[in-house]
Amino acid sequence: MTKRATTVGALLAAATLLLAGCNANPTTPAGSSTAPVTKGGDLTILTAQTELSFDPAKSQSLAITSLGLVERRLTTWDITPGQEAKYVPDLATDTGKSSNGGKTWTYTLKDGLTFDDGTPITSEDIKYGIERSFAPELSGGLGYHKSLLAGAEKYTGPYGGKELASIKTPDDKTIVFELNTPYGDWPWIASMPAFSPVPKAKDTKPATYGEKPAASGPYAVESYQQGVALKLVRNPKWSAATDTVRTAGPDTITFKMSQDETVAAQALIADSGEAQTSFGAQFVPPAQLAQAQGNPTAKSRLVTSDPGALAYLAFNTARGALKDVKVRQALEYAADRQAFLLASGGEISGAAATTLITPGIPGRAEYDLYPAPASGDVDKAKSLLAAAGHADDLNLTQITKNDSVSLAQAQALQQGFEKAGVKVTLDPQDETTVTDRVTGSSGDYDLYIGSWQPDFPSPNGNIQPLFDSSQIGGGAYNISRYSNPAVDAAIAKATGTVDPADAGTQWAAIDKQVMTDAPVVPLTYTKNSFLHGSKVQNFQIGAFPAYPNYLKVTLAP
């Protein structure tokens, strides 16, 4: 799981813990362990997934999780607890040289790079890997590059013999990308799965390539049995001298699939046998979280992330009274964050959010445009509603997922709004219906509780997908249906700014600019909790993302 707008109830049902803090400086997550890197042992990762594909074209895997063990990219992520995430070179010698005003990016490969069979990795392998991500039969992977590469609008991959002209390989070690717009965050894009090298000679059966792909990282796939297990073994051709982020501690790594989350968490709490050298890929369910906190030995092996996704209440700004910014600003004050927090699990489950850019993202600035007690400022809300001509006649519909947690959260906000004289009618639906309604074209709702974690740690990932007018409907996630030409222009300018510090300043200003229009109420920043066995070391979670860094995990000797 990476980004995704979902109901917060859905996240909690999957045991996402809404823990938060509003400090801009990242801290070391509770339970993170640091030990000298040791080699050896057999690591087991317990996952509820029933299928794993290591095909980079089809993957949404984070740079620091499963796929990153087997397949390197042009750039990757340096994730260190207590520090902001940053991109660093991986297969490339640097994070890219921009020219043509940020529309052209050039990379040079390091010396001595080979696949697991000893074949040299070339720029053509990276070009081919990116091209195959356009093939319709290999859909599902992260696709930011598809809308950025020049002339790619109708490109459908290399299987018909066609190449993408905007990716050039003047020699075996150089690759050049020509974009259709300036894009300062391209080094983050170059860290995504599609930028892993794929040798054309090994891609004879694209549908099953992910079962045993060409390995460029420290591990290679030895075996795969769908729904049961996938086993990684050492890649003898991997060169640690060219790799600054992977420690390659365990001799083998086995993903055990189809694991019930509750059963897996209970086994990790008990910490016997194989569980001692295992960790859970899923969030710890609430009942087992409470159990682990009451068990001193298990608590020492419980790792909780820094604040991650933004939980928010979206106003449909294209509908009825919510078109009026004064009404939306009134509802900012009326929102009862304290009741929402209690419905989400109490103090352990979160704290109030005030910004759109989440903690741990470079460039984030702290502010609060609508200061109010945690339970809201009813008098202020009533005053603003009266000034807007809606003292006692505002009736709104809130679509919500129909599970118990989502309903409890919706009811908590409903009751807070009623104190300000606003009637909210809940519309419980199944998850598919909710998603279709809020991302589709109809806009048949007034309010919606959602959550968002970006795919890469840049303010761009927080702002553009949720508030650019091009992201309204069609399955996109501007669920507030917010449209402001000035904001669109500011987003385009910040997106094309290559200097990170300059871009960060612009994004922070856009954050405030959007919140002045009040299309959403920031509710909480989320945290995730994971368990590991007593022999698992260097199990760490950085400021972003809110997931363990698989590339650093080792086992005690």
Side-chain angles (χ1 to χ4, degrees):
M1 182 170 127
T2 51
K3 71 163 194 308
R4 302 302 155 250
T6 63
T7 61
V8 176
L11 287 174
L12 283 176
T16 300
L17 304 174
L18 296 180
L19 299 172
C22 296
N23 55 313
N25 297 317
T27 58
T28 300
S32 287
S33 63
T34 302
V37 174
T38 56
K39 300 288 185 177
D42 302 309
L43 173 67
T44 300
I45 300 175
L46 307 173
T47 176
Q49 289 182 260
T50 58
E51 181 178 355
L52 287 173
S53 174
F54 278 63
D55 189 326
K58 299 165 65 175
S59 177
Q60 296 194 15
S61 176
L62 298 169
I64 60 166
T65 56
S66 55
L67 204 74
L69 295 164
V70 175
E71 294 164 327
R72 298 172 66 179
R73 303 99 189 268
L74 282 175
T75 64
T76 190
W77 302 355
D78 182 2
I79 304 297
T80 304
Q83 299 180 23
E84 289 183 340
K86 61 183 179 180
Y87 51 74
V88 294
D90 195 0
L91 294 173
T93 57
D94 56 31
T95 57
K97 293 182 173 63
S98 68
S99 57
N100 191 24
K103 294 176 69 175
T104 301
W105 288 84
T106 302
Y107 293 85
T108 302
L109 299 186
K110 295 173 181 175
D111 294 329
L113 300 173
T114 67
F115 291 109
D116 53 316
D117 64 356
T119 304
I121 296 173
T122 70
S123 56
E124 187 63 32
D125 297 321
I126 295 172
K127 172 182 168 69
Y128 180 76
I130 297 168
E131 288 176 336
R132 66 193 296 278
S133 72
F134 285 84
E137 60 265 43
L138 299 178
S139 62
L142 295 177
Y144 291 88
H145 58 286
K146 296 179 183 179
S147 62
L148 292 169
L149 287 166
E153 296 85 358
K154 298 181 180 180
Y155 184 66
T156 57
Y159 299 123
K162 294 184 178 180
E163 296 185 12
L164 188 56
S166 54
I167 305 177
K168 302 184 184 303
T169 54
D171 57 57
D172 283 350
K173 294 187 64 177
T174 305
I175 186 164
V176 181
F177 300 98
E178 296 178 348
L179 312 184
N180 53 31
T181 187
Y183 197 79
D185 279 327
W186 186 256
W188 287 116
I189 304 303
S191 73
M192 294 186 177
F195 288 75
S196 302
V198 176
K200 186 175 182 180
K202 294 290 182 70
D203 191 30
T204 57
K205 296 181 179 180
T208 58
Y209 176 81
E211 294 180 8
K212 202 163 187 177
S216 51
Y219 296 95
V221 178
E222 180 184 69
S223 61
Y224 174 61
Q225 187 177 359
Q226 184 174 331
V228 180
L230 181 147
K231 185 176 182 180
L232 305 181
V233 296
R234 290 194 184 280
N235 169 9
K237 300 299 182 180
W238 171 72
S239 171
T242 68
D243 196 331
T244 62
V245 298
R246 298 167 182 84
T247 57
D251 288 331
T252 69
I253 300 175
T254 300
F255 291 83
K256 283 199 168 181
M257 293 180 276
S258 306
Q259 301 294 303
D260 179 85
E261 297 167 6
T262 297
V263 174
Q266 288 173 337
L268 291 167
I269 291 171
D271 193 43
S272 62
E274 188 182 79
Q276 294 179 344
T277 55
S278 303
F279 72 81
Q282 316 302 134
F283 311 143
V284 180
Q288 284 66 50
L289 177 63
Q291 183 182 351
Q293 289 178 318
N295 180 326
T297 60
K299 186 176 181 179
S300 70
R301 296 180 283 105
L302 181 70
V303 183
T304 299
S305 71
D306 284 337
L310 172 71
Y312 64 94
L313 176 70
F315 303 131
N316 186 345
T317 62
R319 182 170 156 116
L322 292 176
K323 293 179 180 178
D324 188 343
V325 65
K326 294 180 180 179
V327 170
R328 302 196 301 269
Q329 290 173 337
L331 296 178
E332 294 278 352
Y333 289 102
D336 190 339
R337 290 182 175 88
Q338 184 175 26
F340 178 85
L341 186 62
L342 290 172
S344 303
E347 289 299 323
I348 194 173
S349 67
T354 60
T355 67
L356 303 174
I357 300 173
T358 49
I361 303 295
R364 178 177 182 266
E366 192 80 46
Y367 71 90
D368 185 359
L369 290 186
Y370 306 98
S375 59
D377 188 336
V378 173
D379 291 338
K380 178 78 170 180
K382 285 183 175 180
S383 174
L384 290 173
L385 286 170
H390 293 283
D392 55 9
D393 67 347
L394 197 57
N395 294 281
L396 303 173
T397 299
Q398 179 170 337
I399 190 168
T400 176
K401 190 167 175 284
N402 57 11
D403 65 90
S404 59
V405 176
S406 296
L407 286 170
Q409 293 169 329
Q411 289 164 356
L413 292 178
Q414 176 191 44
Q415 292 164 9
F417 288 137
E418 285 180 352
K419 293 176 184 177
V422 178
K423 182 179 179 181
V424 176
T425 301
L426 301 185
D427 181 15
Q429 300 289 340
D430 62 86
E431 184 174 1
T432 299
T433 299
V434 170
T435 301
D436 288 347
R437 288 260 291 275
V438 300
T439 66
S441 59
S442 69
D444 186 19
Y445 59 92
D446 293 314
L447 309 174
Y448 164 81
I449 299 172
S451 180
W452 182 262
Q453 171 154 328
D455 284 313
F456 55 100
S458 164
N460 189 337
N462 281 115
I463 301 293
Q464 191 271 345
L466 299 186
F467 302 107
D468 192 296
S469 65
S470 67
Q471 303 301 301
I472 298 173
Y477 289 104
N478 183 343
I479 293 166
S480 59
R481 300 179 185 265
Y482 173 70
S483 180
N484 182 332
V487 168
D488 287 348
I491 288 174
K493 183 174 183 293
T495 297
T497 300
V498 176
D499 179 71
D502 186 6
T505 300
Q506 293 181 49
W507 286 116
I510 295 169
D511 191 330
K512 276 190 178 182
Q513 185 178 7
V514 172
M515 280 306 300
T516 300
D517 289 339
V520 302
V521 178
L523 295 170
T524 64
Y525 307 117
T526 70
K527 281 189 174 184
N528 304 330
S529 289
F530 301 85
L531 272 167
H532 65 82
S534 58
K535 294 184 179 179
V536 174
Q537 297 180 332
N538 296 304
F539 188 86
Q540 303 170 353
I541 304 177
F544 178 96
Y547 296 89
N549 187 347
Y550 292 19
L551 311 186
K552 303 290 190 184
V553 175
T554 61
L555 296 173

